Amino acid sequence: GAVVSQHPSRVICKSGTSVKIECRSLDFQATTMFWYRQFPKQSLMLMATSNEGSKATYEQGVEKDKFLINHASLTLSTLTVTSAHPEDSSFYICSAKVSRGHPSNQPQHFGDGTRLSIL
Amino acid sequence: GQQLNQSPQSMFIQEGEDVSMNCTSSSIFNTWLWYKQDPGEGPVLLIALYKAGELTSNGRLTAQFGITRKDSFLNISASIPSDVGIYFCAGQSGGSEKLVFGKGMKLTVNP
């Protein structure tokens, strides 16, 4: 149980392109999903918290107009990297919590990540 | 952002050996989590701890939630080659759904 699917697993595109990454909770409902960014040999850095039916909460230093987050259903959140540039190249990982009807201290379960490479 | 102090940063061990790693924090956490990440994949939850002093096992893995609520350790017994990867600790404080991550411990197991 608690499977999180992330798609695509890898994207290579030209500078200036907008890229959408999907995060789905397959066997549970998640009112809260999280988006992380991970640079090589480093830990996960939280970018934003995605709340179903409301605006995402962004961490300090993360541009909300650059990284658009939509959480339109209890099983899907999307991250769109707008007008991507080479410095946006990174490993993006989403996570989701089993939240509705469960204790608030449920752990986060992670997707397999998306490797984004901007040429 | 805030990070946990995770040590050691890396370990090279022989197959069959035990390995121990820990995380410490200057602040109190209500939840401690241990994840394993393989190259090019997302972290996979190994053990979740919710109560100070709690000792929990998952197969060859054992983790404890420190009594002060500021630390946790993870032990792996009788290591095998597939234990290779990066192990992260993560803490969650009361009132927040955010996780604070350690910097990770890279484990290499020589067959």
Side-chain angles (χ1 to χ4, degrees):
Chain A
V3 177
V4 177
S5 174
Q6 193 171 336
H7 179 80
S9 58
R10 186 176 182 97
V11 180
I12 302 173
C13 57
K14 294 181 179 179
S15 184
T17 306
S18 291
V19 178
K20 180 184 283 188
I21 303 170
E22 293 186 347
C23 181
R24 294 180 184 273
S25 55
L26 297 186
D27 52 359
F28 65 98
Q29 293 182 332
T31 55
T32 306
M33 292 184 175
F34 304 85
W35 288 95
Y36 294 83
R37 186 172 180 176
Q38 186 178 35
F39 291 106
K41 298 184 180 181
Q42 293 191 22
S43 188
L44 286 75
M45 296 301 294
L46 180 66
M47 298 175 65
T49 301
S50 170
N51 301 295
E52 185 264 336
S54 63
K55 292 183 179 180
T57 303
Y58 290 82
E59 294 300 299
Q60 190 173 8
V62 178
E63 299 177 58
K64 62 180 181 180
D65 294 330
K66 175 74 171 178
F67 300 99
L68 300 178
I69 291 172
N70 184 277
H71 192 160
S73 77
L74 289 172
T75 59
L76 174 64
S77 176
T78 61
L79 168 69
T80 300
V81 183
T82 62
S83 187
H85 292 283
E87 59 266 27
D88 298 322
S89 299
S90 190
F91 192 53
Y92 293 86
I93 314 173
C94 71
S95 72
K97 289 184 64 174
V98 179
S99 47
R100 181 156 292 186
H102 287 266
S104 60
N105 61 353
Q106 290 291 319
Q108 292 182 26
H109 296 275
F110 288 83
D112 276 341
T114 297
R115 174 73 59 192
L116 177 61
S117 300
I118 308 299
L119 305 177
Chain B
Q2 182 185 3
Q3 279 195 324
L4 302 174
N5 296 314
Q6 185 172 354
S7 64
Q9 294 183 10
S10 64
M11 286 196 73
F12 295 82
I13 61 173
Q14 293 297 124
E15 183 176 359
E17 291 182 341
D18 299 344
V19 60
S20 183
M21 62 196 84
N22 69 75
C23 271
T24 60
S25 170
S26 58
S27 55
I28 289 173
F29 287 108
N30 292 339
T31 301
W32 281 95
L33 304 168
W34 286 93
Y35 291 89
K36 177 176 182 276
Q37 185 178 28
D38 291 328
E41 298 183 11
V44 174
L45 180 67
L46 299 175
I47 292 180
L49 303 160
Y50 300 108
K51 187 178 178 181
E54 178 182 359
L55 183 70
T56 298
S57 293
N58 178 9
R60 294 179 294 107
L61 278 62
T62 302
Q64 184 160 30
F65 191 141
I67 197 71
T68 64
R69 296 166 64 190
K70 292 183 178 182
D71 64 321
S72 176
F73 74 76
L74 174 70
N75 285 344
I76 305 173
S77 63
S79 60
I80 59 178
S82 61
D83 290 333
V84 166
I86 300 178
Y87 292 80
F88 289 99
C89 62
Q92 182 180 347
S93 56
S96 174
E97 292 192 295
K98 298 179 185 179
L99 289 181
V100 178
F101 279 86
K103 291 186 177 182
M105 196 286 285
K106 184 177 181 180
L107 179 64
T108 302
V109 179
N110 296 316

